[in-house]
Amino acid sequence: MGVIRKLFGDQGRKTEKTPLQDDPERTASHSSTNIVNTMSEKVKFTIDGKACVADKGMNLVDAAKINGIYIPTLCHLEGVKPAGSCRICNVRINGRPMTACTTEVAEGMVIENNIPEIQEMRKIIIETLFVSGNHFCPACEKSGNCELQALAYRYQMMVPRFPYEFEEKQVDATSPKLYIDRNRCILCKRCVRSIKKADGKSIFAIKGRGHKAIIIIDHKLAEAMTDEEAQRAMDICPVGSILRKERGYITPIGKRKYDTTPIGSDIEQNVTK
Amino acid sequence: MEKKITIEPVTRVEGHGKVTIYIDDEGNVRQSRLHIVEFRGFERFVQGRPYWEAPVLVQRLCGICPVSHHLAAAKALDVIVGAGTGDGLTPTGEKMRRLMHYGQMFQSHALHFFHLVSPDLLFGIDADPAIRNIIGVAKKHPDLAVMGVMMRKYGQEIIRATAGKKIHGTGAIPGGINKLLTVEERDSFLNGPDPMNIDKMISWSLDSVNFLKGYHKENKDFIDNFAKFPSNHLSLVRKDGALDLYHGVLRAVDSEGKKILHDVDYQDYLSYIGEEVRNWSYMKFPYMLEFGKGDGWYRVGPLARLNCCDFIPTPLAQKEFEEFRAYTKGKPNHMSMHYHWARLIELLHSAEMMKELLHDPDLLEGELVTKGTKVNEGVGLLEAPRGTLFHHYRINEHDQITMANLIVSTTNNNEPMNVAVNHAAKQFMNGQKRISEGMMNAVEVAIRAYDPCLSCATHALGQMPLEIILVGPDQEVIERIRR
Ligand code: SF4
Ligand code: FES
């Protein structure tokens, strides 16, 4: 992630919280601000010249979606307050680069999404994520269900153009139900923000900052996780960093999420009619 | 003055080998050695990985028979997840895996025979390498080339339907399998349009056996005497002595056919098999502990399997097996070139097995996975196309692999291949002043009989890229031939 920040700066970023300071404002119960407050007042805007309509205040990712346009996301998770950390959803709004997941749609916005410059930037983000971890897709059980891999296909990543960082990263296999492989973690914090106990306590957290940041798991809480919670954690992770133990590869090739429907294609199919 | 000749395939990194032949002043071969790079890396880098990843990860060590590694690893993990030692899976789990395995055996044997061996047989081993390749076969015998391609394709489609992908699938998981066969798939394998149906595959397999028998009749001297030497033979056999390529007990016979390893449980393989390290090769030399390093080595693969088993449980292959056995009057067959004969009988057997399995309703429905009490260690063996394959894993309390030991088929055949190369070198090179193309290829032909991974890797397009270096006693290069 450090690489990306160097490349793109922090434009469009709202607030930067240190990890582990779990801001109560960012919890799930507060998350749907984009969708809730509307009295279905409509706004008009354009994406790549296409006239679009959405409810006022809707977040741009969703607003694009209902108009049949796919804006890629990684750290964003529906129903959870956006973090704006991965930058893959960057678009240009009235000429300025902004993250779509943290932006509410407004009347008259002129949005550029599928233009070569932005496509290239997204590809660069994907490539930097690949070189800063160890994403060995061929043997990873998340292959075919992995959002990062799916995006790499979408943006046609062919060869690593940046040098591999070869950072030493540890796995944590000590939880009874989960296997954490930090070699694959992209620090999107989706797990931190959404996998919580009933009292709001996070089971996952980020420890350390910058290059040293790693995902950690509260072993006490993890021990008490149900099978369903463990499965949810695995599903929520966009990559193969959180794995459920002893159930690897149960989905055969051909039945995995992106085997026959490339990422984004479901959204884009809705438009053409 | 002693000279050293090195034959070195140079284009591939994995599984590449080189042959060194030491000759004396008269040009007589004193000794020869085959060096092959080992797969040690995998045993190291699966450590720390979750155990269920092994079947998918480890199969990457081979692009030619990944299914064998996939299944051997899965079999070892069956033991670990408490699904029994080879007979505890659900009928669906076991049969889907068997179908995958016989599909693999079928496509691998077809590839080896048609693409790699047939050029040598059709054009002669000292023919110009420009025509002695699969393209040459396609030009002169298009029917044969088509057979080879379509049989391979059929086997690969079976693999795709059972493992999810033609190469490097995910079908076998600890305790079973992750998919069923669909009715459409089954129907197309059974009754697909010509030639892609099982009956055609069986009849083509028969044709292949007959083709080889015909060739044998006309080239008896070469086929029977080239690189012929006595040895022990080792393979899995079914408990009742039948040929079984997927599961069984470990049996070995000596050069006279006497049982010297008595149908033992392979979970204890370490009590029977040792591995010797020699300073000139990365690849170890396995041997039976009871008979020591000098006498305990053995052959594996098609020839060894037909020498070890008592019968073949499918009718057409059994008929061929009887003829094969009768040829050596029931004694073990020690002729290296008869590997090809044995391999084609197995090709036929695999086709028959696929047919039997395809008619089995258990492939279409049933429980996929079974599990019991977890233990921390398991061994999985099967008969890969090239011979007995050993996978052995240990895990810790967090489900991470702490130890992996693999003895791959080619390693089991290490000593026999060395002996075969020695025979070929002596037979074709003794007293010769120059190294001819045919002589170089004789060495290759001897290696190829054992179908080691490196031969596929380097011979796919006709010829092994070779370099021969003649080195004098002071290590000076006297002559260097490259092709
Ligand atoms: S473990 Fe997965 S969900 Fe959690 S931060 Fe890392 S990549 Fe994101
Ligand atoms: S920054 Fe918007 S999806 Fe990550």
Side-chain angles (χ1 to χ4, degrees):
Chain A
M1 299 300 280
V3 191
I4 299 168
R5 215 145 288 155
K6 263 177 248 153
L7 275 166
F8 303 108
D10 274 343
Q11 13 72 307
R13 172 175 296 270
K14 281 186 167 173
T15 47
E16 180 75 290
K17 296 276 178 202
T18 54
L20 282 186
Q21 288 178 345
D22 221 346
D23 187 337
E25 262 188 14
R26 296 186 151 217
T27 56
S29 51
H30 291 254
S31 64
S32 19
T33 45
N34 303 316
I35 305 158
V36 177
N37 72 5
T38 62
M39 294 164 305
S40 64
E41 189 189 326
K42 302 283 181 197
V43 292
K44 289 188 189 144
F45 55 101
T46 64
I47 301 181
D48 296 332
K50 182 186 181 222
C52 302
V53 183
D55 289 346
K56 187 178 176 200
M58 200 177 220
N59 108 17
L60 200 46
V61 173
D62 295 332
K65 187 173 173 180
I66 60 168
N67 284 278
I69 292 167
Y70 174 66
I71 298 177
T73 57
L74 270 175
C75 66
H76 183 56
L77 202 57
E78 237 179 276
V80 178
K81 182 159 182 171
S85 62
C86 77
R87 334 294 296 170
I88 197 84
C89 66
N90 245 323
V91 291
R92 267 213 228 126
I93 302 176
N94 303 333
R96 284 186 54 215
M98 312 254 293
T99 45
C101 70
T102 57
T103 305
E104 291 178 6
V105 69
E107 181 68 30
M109 272 184 173
V110 177
I111 297 149
E112 293 165 282
N113 177 42
N114 271 335
I115 59 169
E117 258 174 276
I118 290 176
Q119 306 277 52
E120 180 60 16
M121 186 213 62
R122 288 174 183 159
K123 191 172 169 189
I124 288 174
I125 293 177
I126 294 160
E127 289 181 40
T128 49
L129 287 172
F130 268 91
V131 297
S132 57
N134 181 5
H135 299 272
F136 185 64
C137 299
C140 177
E141 65 177 275
K142 199 71 182 252
S143 186
N145 288 319
C146 171
E147 293 176 34
L148 182 64
Q149 182 194 47
L151 285 171
Y153 279 121
R154 182 177 172 103
Y155 290 97
Q156 296 180 16
M157 184 185 83
M158 297 298 181
V159 286
R161 93 179 90 167
F162 306 112
Y164 276 91
E165 291 182 13
F166 293 119
E167 263 188 75
E168 188 81 30
K169 287 177 183 157
Q170 303 298 322
V171 299
D172 179 353
T174 54
S175 297
K177 293 213 161 70
L178 295 177
Y179 180 93
I180 311 295
D181 188 343
R182 300 194 180 101
N183 293 292
R184 302 168 181 166
C185 176
I186 58 170
L187 296 170
C188 69
K189 297 191 223 161
R190 272 159 67 156
C191 55
V192 180
R193 290 179 289 143
S194 65
I195 306 293
K196 300 180 186 244
K197 296 309 278 183
D199 61 3
K201 269 205 190 120
S202 281
I203 298 177
F204 295 88
I206 306 265
K207 189 178 133 195
R209 305 196 58 176
H211 247 45
K212 296 233 166 75
I214 56 165
I215 193 80
I216 54 167
I217 183 165
D218 183 320
H219 288 110
K220 269 251 165 57
L221 294 180
E223 241 162 70
M225 273 175 116
T226 62
D227 283 345
E228 291 69 41
E229 285 171 324
Q231 186 61 47
R232 231 187 107 229
M234 175 166 175
D235 292 343
I236 245 158
C237 179
V239 291
S241 180
I242 302 177
L243 303 177
R244 256 189 91 182
K245 280 192 170 173
E246 308 197 22
R247 290 173 51 83
Y249 308 94
I250 48 167
T251 314
I253 295 168
K255 294 255 155 48
R256 301 171 309 183
K257 201 164 168 190
Y258 302 118
D259 279 338
T260 47
T261 44
I263 197 164
S265 64
D266 48 341
I267 295 173
E268 286 162 343
Q269 252 144 40
N270 291 338
V271 236
T272 35
K273 346 165 192 132
Chain B
M1 185 179 73
E2 183 184 302
K3 292 172 188 168
K4 184 171 132 191
I5 304 169
T6 304
I7 303 179
E8 188 165 17
V10 286
T11 55
R12 275 275 297 221
V13 185
E14 309 92 353
H16 77 269
K18 66 175 181 175
V19 176
T20 312
I21 301 168
Y22 299 89
I23 54 173
D24 61 21
D25 269 344
E26 281 75 49
N28 290 325
V29 175
R30 207 175 54 80
Q31 198 193 28
S32 50
R33 283 168 173 175
L34 168 69
H35 318 252
I36 301 175
V37 173
E38 249 281 44
F39 304 115
R40 232 53 199 174
F42 274 83
E43 298 171 332
R44 179 67 194 80
F45 73 61
V46 295
Q47 285 175 20
R49 301 306 309 169
Y51 69 78
W52 58 91
E53 219 175 87
V56 178
L57 187 59
V58 175
Q59 65 178 340
R60 295 267 161 188
L61 65 76
C62 182
I64 293 292
C65 60
V67 170
S68 309
H69 290 288
H70 183 58
L71 288 173
K75 284 185 76 180
L77 297 173
D78 292 343
V79 180
I80 285 180
V81 301
T85 54
D87 35 23
L89 297 194
T90 63
T92 302
E94 158 128 12
K95 287 170 190 171
M96 281 294 281
R97 282 201 196 170
R98 278 185 178 270
L99 182 61
M100 191 194 304
H101 189 49
Y102 285 104
Q104 154 81 354
M105 196 62 85
F106 187 74
Q107 72 91 17
S108 174
H109 280 1
L111 168 85
H112 183 255
F113 185 72
F114 288 98
H115 290 240
L116 307 180
V117 177
S118 75
D120 292 333
L121 301 188
L122 292 169
F123 301 111
I125 65 169
D126 45 11
D128 180 359
I131 57 156
R132 200 193 60 227
N133 57 47
I134 184 64
I135 315 243
V137 175
K139 278 201 186 124
K140 206 165 161 217
H141 305 272
D143 44 328
L144 267 189
V146 167
M147 260 166 85
V149 169
M150 298 314 270
M151 287 167 91
R152 176 132 198 265
K153 187 166 162 54
Y154 187 91
Q156 285 182 320
E157 287 301 328
I158 292 273
I159 295 171
R160 191 196 46 70
T162 47
K165 261 165 76 189
K166 286 183 196 163
I167 302 179
H168 300 142
T170 62
I173 56 178
I177 192 90
N178 70 11
K179 70 194 297 282
L180 294 164
L181 203 67
T182 65
V183 177
E184 297 75 47
E185 284 168 334
R186 187 213 40 201
D187 291 349
S188 100
F189 287 129
L190 283 175
N191 308 311
D194 196 59
M196 295 301 276
N197 58 65
I198 191 62
D199 290 324
K200 188 70 172 188
M201 294 301 136
I202 291 176
S203 85
W204 272 356
S205 302
L206 254 179
D207 292 348
S208 314
V209 182
N210 287 330
F211 169 81
L212 189 90
K213 286 198 289 191
Y215 180 87
H216 182 198
K217 220 175 251 160
E218 271 152 36
N219 300 273
K220 258 202 169 48
D221 188 41
F222 169 59
I223 293 284
D224 288 357
N225 295 317
F226 181 75
K228 169 186 176 182
F229 55 90
S231 74
N232 304 314
H233 299 268
L234 177 139
S235 87
L236 290 179
V237 295
R238 202 164 75 184
K239 277 202 179 104
D240 61 357
L243 177 72
D244 191 330
L245 304 173
Y246 175 75
H247 187 65
V249 288
L250 209 48
R251 175 186 288 186
V253 297
D254 69 8
S255 59
E256 286 301 307
K258 195 172 115 241
K259 254 195 232 176
I260 50 174
L261 201 58
H262 298 267
D263 300 358
V264 297
D265 180 356
Y266 62 67
Q267 293 301 318
D268 306 323
Y269 79 102
L270 284 175
S271 339
Y272 307 106
I273 307 289
E275 288 182 278
E276 185 196 353
V277 179
R278 297 184 196 164
N279 60 10
W280 51 269
S281 178
Y282 289 110
M283 190 155 84
K284 291 185 179 178
F285 290 81
Y287 62 98
M288 284 175 277
L289 291 169
E290 194 184 336
F291 306 98
K293 290 174 186 169
D295 301 323
W297 60 277
Y298 50 82
R299 279 174 167 130
V300 298
L303 188 74
R305 290 192 282 254
L306 296 204
N307 281 331
C308 284
C309 75
D310 301 328
F311 65 99
I312 298 183
T314 53
L316 296 173
Q318 169 64 15
K319 231 177 112 234
E320 299 300 328
F321 173 72
E322 284 163 16
E323 192 178 333
F324 178 88
R325 270 296 178 82
Y327 194 74
T328 50
K329 309 203 165 52
K331 292 278 180 201
N333 184 327
H334 298 301
M335 297 168 259
S336 288
M337 293 305 280
H338 285 221
Y339 261 96
H340 300 313
W341 188 3
R343 194 172 287 118
L344 293 177
I345 295 174
E346 286 189 348
L347 178 82
L348 177 59
H349 170 62
S350 302
E352 290 183 286
M353 285 302 296
M354 285 193 285
K355 182 169 181 178
E356 193 181 309
L357 284 162
L358 285 167
H359 280 291
D360 196 315
D362 286 337
L363 296 180
L364 304 177
E365 58 183 342
E367 283 293 313
L368 299 178
V369 178
T370 174
K371 283 184 186 178
T373 312
K374 201 157 63 178
V375 295
N376 67 358
E377 185 166 7
V379 178
L381 258 72
L382 53 70
E383 287 296 328
R386 289 148 191 84
T388 319
L389 172 63
F390 299 60
H391 277 224
H392 177 194
Y393 301 96
R394 249 180 242 139
I395 63 167
N396 64 17
E397 71 275 26
H398 303 309
D399 294 334
Q400 292 171 287
I401 295 170
T402 55
M403 190 282 305
N405 187 38
L406 314 179
I407 310 177
V408 304
S409 322
T410 299
T411 303
N412 280 309
N413 264 338
N414 197 0
E415 182 69 18
M417 285 191 297
N418 270 282
V419 176
V421 164
N422 213 22
H423 275 257
K426 283 195 168 136
Q427 199 171 332
F428 278 75
M429 287 190 176
N430 267 357
Q432 304 285 334
K433 289 267 157 2
R434 289 197 53 216
I435 302 136
S436 68
E437 185 64 40
M439 279 157 50
M440 279 170 75
N441 200 40
V443 170
E444 280 187 54
V445 166
I447 301 171
R448 200 172 300 133
Y450 294 81
D451 188 13
C453 313
L454 75 140
S455 80
C456 320
T458 53
H459 197 258
L461 266 182
Q463 61 172 344
M464 262 188 210
L466 288 188
E467 189 172 47
I468 301 190
I469 307 167
L470 256 160
V471 186
D474 303 325
Q475 299 302 312
E476 81 277 20
V477 175
I478 299 170
E479 192 186 353
R480 182 189 289 258
I481 302 174
R482 196 180 269 203
R483 70 169 200 213

